[in-house]
Amino acid sequence: MTAAARMHRPRRRFGQNFLRDPNYIGRIVAAIAPEPGDHCVEIGPGDGALTLPLAEAAGRLDCVELDRDLARQLESRLAGKEHVQIHCRDILKFDLAELGGSPGNLRITGNLPYNISTPVLFHLLKMSHWINDMTFMLQREVVERMTAAPGNRNYGRLSVMLKYHCKVERLFHVPPEAFRPQPKVHSSVVRLRPHRPRPLQAADENALATVVRTAFGQRRKTLRNGLKSLAAAEVLERLPVDLGARPEQLGLADYVRISDAISSDGEK
């Protein structure tokens, strides 16, 4: 590690906690399993704990880093590696199409800042047709929400929408002691693979997103009361689900049926 990297003070506003434990660094790289023909994209590379081994193994590596100081340090450390490019950008405003290549080709990874992890996931879902797979380290609580099943207290909007777009697999946990500074939360590594084709296809994906967001925005209400802003009472009564149920009791297929029924009625 260079003197410049050692001097960098983690910035709370960027949610910076740098992975330091070589055992977990090795496990994450092994889970990604980058190969010479791969085009990898690392979000928030920080001081390069994952970046350096990825740069050695991948055929192309693009890193998106918001912190200008860290971006400059990485550019210096990776000088001469023409297959690596550092983008000093906000990932929430970054379009994967800018990287070129073929749809379904990109392998995304990163230690996502806890304060923006959910917005980043939803942002990437909009571009899932560019993505082969995603391997992230996230707050364990977020991963529990991502993988939760109907009826679980962690089941919600994130669970439903991720499962619509991807196969979600929790890999392993990472303790706070693996980071500097130590976060106050535990972390987990998770893998997402976009469905091709999707096992369930909504007639209108924007309508599905609206139904799920509306239902879980009022999760203490029954579906009859929570969805009344989206359709007239007589339309809701014809929906192929139990309107007395609460949002967390329904599976993805139920939400697709609801959104399709509401979309179909709106087109009449």
Side-chain angles (χ1 to χ4, degrees):
M1 184 180 301
T2 65
R6 285 197 300 270
M7 291 173 60
H8 182 83
R9 291 175 177 262
R11 293 172 175 169
R12 182 174 298 178
R13 68 189 179 98
F14 289 150
Q16 292 176 346
N17 298 93
F18 299 134
L19 185 62
R20 289 285 186 264
D21 190 311
N23 173 53
Y24 286 103
I25 293 172
R27 290 183 68 181
I28 294 171
V29 173
I32 300 167
E35 298 182 351
D38 289 342
H39 183 175
C40 292
V41 179
E42 185 180 10
I43 299 172
D47 62 355
L50 295 177
T51 313
L52 299 182
L54 288 175
E56 291 299 322
R60 178 178 170 186
L61 175 61
D62 285 275
C63 301
V64 184
E65 174 57 62
L66 182 60
D67 188 317
R68 293 179 182 178
D69 291 339
L70 287 174
R72 282 194 293 265
Q73 290 175 19
L74 284 173
E75 286 178 345
S76 176
R77 297 173 71 188
L78 294 165
K81 294 186 180 295
E82 296 182 357
H83 68 294
V84 180
Q85 185 171 357
I86 311 300
H87 306 266
C88 189
R89 302 272 296 278
D90 182 350
I91 186 58
L92 293 174
K93 300 176 182 178
F94 193 88
D95 187 347
L96 295 179
E98 297 179 32
L99 300 177
S102 304
N105 187 47
L106 299 178
R107 306 197 65 200
I108 316 294
T109 189
N111 174 14
L112 297 188
Y114 302 140
N115 55 344
I116 64 164
S117 57
T118 299
V120 168
L121 290 170
F122 277 109
H123 178 62
L124 293 172
L125 289 182
K126 298 175 185 176
M127 302 178 284
S128 62
H129 60 286
W130 287 104
I131 299 170
N132 177 39
D133 63 352
M134 298 178 275
T135 305
F136 292 129
M137 182 157 54
L138 298 157
Q139 183 176 344
R140 187 164 68 184
E141 178 183 325
V142 175
V143 174
E144 288 173 349
R145 288 164 49 205
M146 293 167 66
T147 58
N152 186 289
R153 65 182 180 85
N154 293 308
Y155 183 73
R157 177 191 174 210
L158 185 63
S159 321
V160 175
M161 296 310 299
L162 282 180
K163 289 174 183 176
Y164 176 75
H165 289 279
C166 305
K167 177 183 178 182
V168 185
E169 179 186 7
R170 179 168 47 199
L171 301 181
F172 53 87
H173 298 307
V174 182
E177 295 77 22
F179 300 86
R180 294 293 181 273
Q182 289 188 25
K184 296 180 180 179
V185 297
H186 287 254
S187 303
S188 293
V189 176
V190 63
R191 178 185 290 128
L192 301 94
R193 295 187 186 276
H195 296 304
R196 292 190 177 89
R198 292 196 183 100
L200 290 168
Q201 180 64 55
D204 184 335
E205 292 183 0
N206 289 328
L208 173 63
T210 298
V211 166
V212 174
R213 182 175 61 249
T214 302
F216 283 100
Q218 306 174 81
R219 63 185 303 146
R220 294 187 178 182
K221 294 184 178 181
T222 63
L223 291 170
R224 180 178 288 104
N225 292 324
L227 298 178
K228 64 182 180 182
S229 63
L230 299 182
E234 57 270 22
V235 175
L236 292 178
E237 292 299 330
R238 294 199 299 269
L239 293 179
V241 296
D242 177 10
L243 291 176
R246 299 191 186 277
E248 66 271 14
Q249 295 175 277
L250 272 63
L252 171 59
D254 296 314
Y255 281 106
V256 171
R257 284 194 288 268
I258 291 172
S259 71
D260 284 356
I262 291 177
S263 298
S264 175
D265 184 80
E267 293 173 357
K268 294 179 181 178

